[in-house]
Amino acid sequence: MTLGVIMLIHTGFDRAEQMARHWNDAGCPVDIHIDSNVSRASHDHFVSALSDLSMVRFCARQRCEWGTWGLVAASQAAATMMLEEFADVSHVFLASGSCLPLRPVQELQAYLQEHPDTDFIESATTSDVLWTVGGLDRERFTLRFPLAWKKHRKLFDWFVTLQQMVGYKRKIPEGLVPHMGSQWWCLTRQTLDAILQDPNRPVYDRFFRHVWIPDESYYQSVVRLHARTVQSRSLTLAKFDYQGKPHIFFDDHLELLQRSDCFVARKIWRDAEVLYKMFPQPVDADRLGAAPNTGTVDRLFSHAVERRTLGRPGLYMQSRFPSADRENGVAAAPYAVLQGFDDVFPDFKSWLTERTGAQVHGHLFAKDRVHFADESRIYRGGLSDHPRLRDYNAKMFLTNLIWNGREDQHCFQFGPADSQEVQWTLAKDTNASIWVISGAWSIPLYRSGRSASEVRAEAARLQRIESKFLKTLRGPHAHARIKIMTLAEFIETPMDVLQTIIDDIAGHKGRALTQTPKMADLTGLADFLQELRNQGMHPFLTGDITQGNLRKAQAKPRRKPYIIAQK
Amino acid sequence: MSRAKGLPGLWGAYRLRWKRRRFLFRVWRKRKQIKAVHDRTSKLSSDAIFVFSTVRNEMLRLPYFLKHYRALGVDHFLIVDNGSDDGTAEFLAAQADVSLWTTKHSYRLARFGVDWLGWLQAKHGHNRWCLTVDADELLIYPDYQSRDLKALTAWLDQQNLTSFGALLLDLYPKGPLGDANYLSGGDPTKTLCWYDADNYRHKYHPYYGNLWIQGGVRDRMFFAAEPDRAPTLNKTPLVRWNRRFAYVSSTHQILPRHLHDVFDFEGESKTSGVLLYTKFLPNIGAKSSEELERKQHFENSIHYTDYYRQMIENPTLWYDGSSSYSSDQKLVEQGLMSKGSWV
């Protein structure tokens, strides 16, 4: 048996010549169609360059506009010529100038010999498969497309809309079921002959002349009328991007192509020297009967499409800048915001670090400077501790911090004394869990030793700020996980809350707590708050702090641990 | 796309159009400031890729600059020499793939060379892929070693894209700037092999429609107290040029504004590159002294006096968390540039 190759060429003549020689050297007759748009000079040059090959033929030239009938007419002419001139050809393979055989032609021939009566052509019905790009699937067959899309885009769209508006519908020839698939096929002589000699061929040709992209549907549809066995897949590896444009293979795809075991791949970049040197691979006895395996290639490309359409969440960069309402998460990874905890427990930061192993930052948004977990001046990725740089774009500061250390868990302290620009970002971010002990700002004021009358104004300011933050957190646009409790509520059952936080941050690594960290001395807090009230400043965010609940909170911890899982 | 990013209204669009015309007029008015020394632009094919650049005393960087872009598949360099006295002009005149113009006029008044290059672009770059870079900017993009600019531009054409964005990435040495060793012609990324990986802030510029990026090492070292003065890092250096296009300030901004569609609002990520910035080679101190004298850089030179002073004092930019430059792959992983859908 012999394999005949049809090559459709419109550009890249050097590589096309190389490929024609390659097919020819392997003993395959080659029938070449050159687009009639190609200049006389290039055509003549190319033809004379191949004149030393006895099994190369050139068929009558057609005008091949992308998406039009010309491409089908060209392959018909070439196929007719092939069958007439080379009587021993048993399979015909349709290729282009930028198709590169990955495996030696002998392996392809051996494979075809094993499947003597099989036609390899991707062919799926339009009703079952939704892979078309651009919204035209069934309508490809029921409307008329006399215009080339590439040249007359506006007119093309206008004509489609017009037909849709008046409800125009073409009749599909009887017996024909529209199928679509890759335009690169390999058909048996018998099938191809039957297609070309079909008495109904003029009817089909007339119909497909005005179908949209007929080269993806002509053979795919009529083959179903004649073939004995159709293997609905293409032997040519070709990938398309989300716009339906062909992916091009470069030198860095070498390994991928090697592993694919495909016979032929397209499109190959014309300067991909490494690929043209490495392929086709030498004959390999182990691989001889192996069927093409496009799994890895498919995965890589679908991954690429995903990356293209989803990007990398939490990454803000020059070519990805989602606007705030386009995305649920703002940052790249979950993180915790803790307000008031370090007021209640002076050693909270080190305690939490020890318990969770997370990156526990101090007050990232403090007014004096950024307090990173390691108190360094420059944190990972070159983040400066300068407060003006941070406040200049607080959201970016936060997203950079998290993106940088996305393999770690981050949590940071927050409070009404800090810069508040980041409030909305925190509240909106589904990746944030925000824990607030409201009114905890009263503790440092109390412990400063100053009298209530001295700190009154400061207390009022902090309360105002915190109250505004709480309003944000309780608003309809807050999507973070939020838990707000008053200071009074918290000191009643600190262990439960801390356990939940630890579980949340450390995940399964969190251990059961037996002891809370050491609480600040709050003995006189109730009197201090009362004094504030007497001064006319009501600290309503603290909840009801009394001598009673303070005494209970400051009592020695109970010996027996109790664990409550709130998750 | 422009609409999704909020056109500045019909009136705004109209004003932008006139603004662009003013720039084009300016370019035309200054066309005689540059004199051709060697014009070798005839006989270049229509798919040739051009580099446009204004240089002054760049003998240290130019040999590698040319080497880098030749390897990337650039066919021809169109360079304006602004009164060099270190042999730059002679060196460039001797290169077969360089066309050279010369001028002694003010760099600042020519909008930092944009006016001069604008004329060359209009004359020679129409409907070609034009890369506008300074001598201290080396463009890279994902897989640039196996895919040259011909491959990139063919792909951009296929995607109907007319511009390609890149982030200016400051490279610096370990130790004081002036103490590093670099020999002309060598790979500067071997000397300047450190950078800040992730301290860039992005902001949408509603008028020009570009993404305004600031940050990096200069931001952290010199502009912390005045963040709005920190250098701009977004660039659109590679454009399929049209004689109606005009750069606004350096290659940071360009009109018409649809050329800024190099980023995405929907959360997708587009293909983008990085301009490796080799300003901090050991001659930075000398260059800064010269700048202080000439006052030819930036709109308000006065505000940058401090910056140049600090440069002369031989500072160390490196810190123990700096990222070391190893490959384009690493920059992609860190999110400084992206492969987008160009698999």
Side-chain angles (χ1 to χ4, degrees):
Chain A
M1 65 144 263
T2 312
L3 171 67
V5 178
I6 297 174
M7 282 177 81
L8 304 180
I9 296 171
H10 67 102
T11 179
F13 293 101
D14 306 355
R15 290 302 183 192
E17 183 193 335
Q18 194 181 341
M19 287 307 105
R21 287 191 181 278
H22 175 77
W23 291 114
N24 185 77
D25 293 349
C28 303
V30 181
D31 202 337
I32 298 178
H33 175 270
I34 303 172
D35 191 339
S36 66
N37 278 336
V38 170
S39 72
R40 190 85 230 162
S42 326
H43 170 263
D44 292 349
H45 180 79
F46 181 68
V47 170
S48 67
L50 286 173
S51 57
D52 59 319
L53 303 181
S54 58
M55 286 202 296
V56 170
R57 299 282 184 279
F58 293 90
C59 72
R61 293 167 69 187
Q62 302 272 346
R63 232 174 97 83
C64 299
E65 195 83 49
W66 183 79
T68 62
W69 172 251
L71 282 159
V72 180
S75 55
Q76 282 179 337
T80 313
M81 192 171 183
M82 172 71 74
L83 297 184
E84 275 171 13
E85 298 216 0
F86 301 97
D88 56 341
V89 163
S90 62
H91 279 83
V92 177
F93 192 96
L94 181 67
S96 78
S98 51
C99 287
L100 173 67
L102 303 182
R103 290 166 65 175
V105 180
Q106 295 92 297
E107 288 187 21
L108 175 57
Q109 283 164 334
Y111 188 78
L112 292 176
Q113 207 141 30
E114 271 176 50
H115 306 85
D117 297 327
T118 311
D119 297 295
F120 293 93
I121 179 165
E122 193 176 58
S123 155
T125 55
T126 47
S127 48
D128 299 342
V129 183
L130 289 171
W131 65 38
T132 48
V133 179
L136 293 171
D137 37 48
R138 183 72 188 173
E139 287 182 328
R140 286 178 179 217
F141 301 98
T142 59
L143 301 183
R144 275 178 193 273
F145 299 89
L147 298 152
W149 181 74
K150 282 206 171 164
K151 280 204 177 146
H152 314 280
R153 276 179 206 202
K154 285 239 168 84
L155 209 55
F156 179 95
D157 289 342
W158 175 83
F159 194 57
V160 169
T161 320
L162 180 76
Q163 294 179 73
Q164 285 167 338
M165 266 167 57
V166 302
Y168 176 76
K169 243 185 165 176
R170 287 179 83 189
K171 207 172 152 272
I172 295 170
E174 197 148 343
L176 193 73
V177 183
H179 282 70
M180 287 191 313
S182 164
Q183 72 208 80
W184 310 105
W185 42 253
C186 178
L187 299 179
T188 57
R189 181 187 193 94
Q190 200 173 358
T191 308
L192 196 56
D193 203 39
I195 290 173
L196 295 173
Q197 305 302 332
D198 192 322
N200 274 335
R201 183 175 148 193
V203 178
Y204 300 144
D205 284 9
R206 211 176 312 123
F207 173 73
F208 278 101
R209 198 173 283 273
H210 284 174
V211 158
W212 175 228
I213 321 186
D215 48 325
E216 286 182 5
S217 53
Y218 178 78
Y219 293 99
Q220 290 70 6
S221 302
V222 293
V223 76
R224 294 286 176 182
L225 305 173
H226 303 290
R228 283 158 296 173
T229 325
V230 170
Q231 278 260 9
S232 180
R233 65 189 165 90
S234 172
L235 293 179
T236 306
L237 173 68
K239 281 279 154 194
F240 297 90
D241 69 6
Y242 73 108
Q243 289 177 307
K245 290 174 178 164
H247 271 299
I248 297 171
F249 291 104
F250 297 97
D251 283 348
D252 45 281
H253 292 120
L254 174 67
E255 201 189 333
L256 185 81
L257 292 177
Q258 273 171 337
R259 279 191 298 178
S260 74
D261 282 344
C262 289
F263 292 107
V264 176
R266 83 185 299 274
K267 291 169 102 164
I268 308 293
W269 175 242
R270 58 171 196 262
D271 294 330
E273 297 296 340
V274 176
L275 296 187
Y276 279 104
K277 210 169 95 193
M278 294 299 289
F279 294 118
Q281 295 163 300
V283 181
D284 181 348
D286 292 344
R287 200 186 44 215
L288 207 57
N293 162 29
T294 55
T296 28
V297 186
D298 290 340
R299 264 198 301 285
L300 177 96
F301 281 89
S302 60
H303 183 65
V305 170
E306 218 168 83
R307 189 177 47 213
R308 153 84 208 179
T309 50
L310 299 174
R312 289 178 274 181
L315 170 65
Y316 297 80
M317 60 173 298
Q318 50 168 339
S319 52
R320 180 182 196 274
F321 191 70
S323 55
D325 22 328
R326 295 278 181 188
E327 232 176 1
N328 278 328
V330 177
Y335 59 95
V337 183
L338 302 160
Q339 175 148 325
F341 288 81
D342 61 331
D343 295 329
V344 181
F345 309 110
D347 290 331
F348 185 67
K349 215 185 109 188
S350 53
W351 178 84
L352 191 61
T353 312
E354 194 186 310
R355 292 286 157 158
T356 59
Q359 287 281 313
V360 183
H361 303 279
H363 284 263
L364 279 183
F365 294 90
K367 289 264 166 75
D368 60 336
R369 58 176 282 240
V370 183
H371 296 274
F372 292 116
D374 50 4
E375 285 294 335
S376 59
R377 303 305 306 264
I378 311 169
Y379 194 62
R380 296 177 192 177
L383 275 186
S384 162
D385 72 337
H386 202 289
R388 288 212 49 187
L389 270 186
R390 175 200 63 202
D391 293 343
Y392 190 67
N393 195 334
K395 179 181 166 187
M396 282 279 123
F397 171 83
L398 180 72
T399 52
N400 278 342
L401 179 97
I402 305 286
W403 169 257
N404 244 315
R406 57 197 182 282
E407 65 279 6
D408 280 326
Q409 273 280 349
H410 288 264
C411 36
F412 62 91
Q413 321 301 322
F414 195 62
D418 297 345
S419 289
Q420 299 291 315
E421 280 86 354
V422 78
Q423 272 190 11
W424 272 105
T425 307
L426 296 177
K428 276 184 184 172
D429 190 356
T430 47
N431 273 321
S433 359
I434 305 175
W435 308 79
V436 182
I437 306 176
S438 70
W441 43 264
S442 61
I443 298 173
L445 290 181
Y446 154 64
R447 283 164 55 85
S448 69
R450 290 185 290 167
S451 72
S453 56
E454 278 175 296
V455 299
R456 181 182 175 275
E458 175 66 2
R461 189 180 73 87
L462 295 177
Q463 175 151 274
R464 208 164 46 239
I465 294 172
E466 185 167 77
S467 162
K468 207 172 153 202
F469 183 42
L470 297 187
K471 202 174 158 200
T472 306
L473 294 183
R474 287 172 177 142
H477 299 293
H479 301 302
R481 301 207 308 136
I482 296 162
K483 169 87 178 147
I484 302 166
M485 62 223 119
T486 62
L487 180 59
E489 283 164 2
F490 177 72
I491 57 175
E492 294 258 321
T493 53
M495 196 88 96
D496 306 0
V497 179
L498 291 177
Q499 183 71 57
T500 319
I501 293 176
I502 298 255
D503 290 346
D504 191 42
I505 295 171
H508 64 283
K509 285 177 285 184
R511 277 169 300 153
L513 288 181
T514 54
Q515 219 173 341
T516 60
K518 194 174 170 330
M519 207 180 268
D521 181 14
L522 306 177
T523 334
L525 183 64
D527 294 339
F528 174 77
L529 294 175
Q530 185 54 47
E531 191 53 35
L532 274 178
R533 267 185 213 103
N534 298 345
Q535 298 272 342
M537 201 319 270
H538 279 243
F540 58 89
L541 290 179
T542 55
D544 192 15
I545 299 275
T546 60
Q547 293 294 356
N549 55 22
L550 279 178
R551 211 171 299 122
K552 209 170 115 199
Q554 303 264 291
K556 286 212 169 134
R558 290 203 272 168
R559 283 197 176 274
K560 192 171 148 246
Y562 62 99
I563 302 144
I564 295 169
Q566 278 199 338
K567 277 185 122 177
Chain B
M1 186 56 85
S2 290
R3 197 160 302 144
K5 291 174 184 174
L7 260 179
L10 268 180
W11 175 236
Y14 187 67
R15 274 177 56 198
L16 275 174
R17 168 174 285 228
W18 273 103
K19 193 165 195 145
R20 178 161 55 87
R21 286 177 177 163
R22 274 206 310 279
F23 286 134
L24 291 172
F25 176 66
R26 213 188 140 103
V27 164
W28 178 81
R29 200 157 46 86
K30 302 217 169 194
R31 72 194 182 283
K32 288 190 178 147
Q33 290 192 352
I34 52 171
K35 296 267 169 297
V37 181
H38 281 288
D39 188 344
R40 301 174 170 122
T41 48
S42 54
K43 286 190 205 157
L44 284 163
S45 69
S46 62
D47 63 344
I49 296 175
F50 286 177
V51 159
F52 293 85
S53 188
T54 306
V55 298
R56 176 186 169 79
N57 292 343
E58 289 290 4
M59 264 323 283
L60 188 67
R61 293 184 179 85
L62 274 176
Y64 189 81
F65 173 85
L66 295 178
K67 190 175 155 194
H68 176 81
Y69 286 113
R70 280 174 189 148
L72 273 187
V74 167
D75 299 279
H76 202 74
F77 297 83
L78 292 90
I79 299 184
V80 176
D81 176 56
N82 184 203
S84 300
D85 51 16
D86 69 341
T88 297
E90 293 73 17
F91 170 78
L92 288 174
Q95 309 294 320
D97 55 356
V98 173
S99 291
L100 183 66
W101 283 260
T102 181
T103 179
K104 293 249 193 277
H105 285 85
S106 163
Y107 179 66
R108 187 164 58 85
L109 292 180
R111 286 190 298 143
F112 317 108
V114 167
D115 288 338
W116 302 328
L117 295 183
W119 179 247
L120 296 180
Q121 281 154 346
K123 243 175 92 183
H124 304 287
H126 183 69
N127 207 18
R128 286 177 200 270
W129 281 99
C130 294
L131 179 61
T132 310
V133 283
D134 289 335
D136 49 14
E137 295 171 347
L138 303 173
L139 177 71
I140 64 165
Y141 44 84
D143 292 313
Y144 72 102
Q145 273 142 336
S146 52
R147 309 176 185 190
D148 64 7
L149 280 172
K150 294 259 162 53
L152 174 64
T153 51
W155 180 78
L156 292 170
D157 279 334
Q158 188 205 38
Q159 304 284 315
N160 295 325
L161 297 172
T162 42
S163 58
F164 183 74
L167 173 81
L168 194 63
L169 185 70
D170 297 342
L171 297 179
Y172 49 84
K174 195 172 177 172
L177 293 185
D179 300 0
N181 284 316
Y182 175 71
L183 285 178
S184 182
D187 181 354
T189 64
K190 295 276 181 287
T191 307
L192 310 175
C193 41
W194 303 90
Y195 60 92
D196 282 13
D198 184 28
N199 52 5
Y200 302 91
R201 46 174 193 273
H202 307 67
K203 208 158 130 181
Y204 177 59
H205 194 304
Y207 190 58
Y208 286 115
N210 65 304
L211 203 56
W212 184 25
I213 307 177
Q214 292 177 301
V217 68
R218 284 180 284 169
D219 184 64
R220 126 173 106 78
M221 291 290 294
F222 310 115
F223 293 93
E226 282 187 295
D228 49 338
R229 296 218 172 276
T232 304
L233 304 178
N234 53 289
K235 292 221 163 195
T236 313
L238 183 61
V239 175
R240 188 180 256 289
W241 200 261
N242 183 296
R243 60 172 75 89
R244 304 302 302 165
F245 292 173
Y247 277 117
V248 177
S249 62
S250 175
T251 50
H252 299 305
Q253 286 164 331
I254 186 168
L255 285 175
R257 96 206 259 287
H258 69 79
L259 294 170
H260 289 139
D261 287 340
V262 292
F263 65 94
D264 196 278
F265 253 11
E266 316 274 326
E268 300 179 2
S269 89
K270 295 195 170 181
T271 311
S272 56
V274 158
L275 283 167
L276 301 173
Y277 194 45
T278 63
K279 193 184 180 66
F280 299 122
L281 281 177
N283 70 349
I284 176 73
K287 279 230 157 199
S288 302
S289 309
E290 195 191 331
E291 279 321 315
L292 270 180
E293 288 283 310
R294 289 180 69 233
K295 300 200 176 12
Q296 288 284 304
H297 270 273
F298 304 103
E299 320 262 348
N300 307 304
S301 300
I302 187 104
H303 291 290
Y304 294 93
T305 318
D306 247 15
Y307 166 68
Y308 285 121
R309 291 246 160 76
Q310 292 188 60
M311 280 290 143
I312 297 165
E313 282 163 15
N314 201 12
T316 299
L317 306 185
W318 186 87
Y319 85 107
D320 58 8
S322 296
S323 287
S324 71
Y325 177 71
S326 55
S327 65
D328 51 318
Q329 187 58 40
K330 188 169 173 185
L331 297 183
V332 172
E333 271 161 31
Q334 286 175 327
L336 290 166
M337 61 183 184
S338 171
K339 279 191 93 145
S341 56
W342 195 35
V343 211

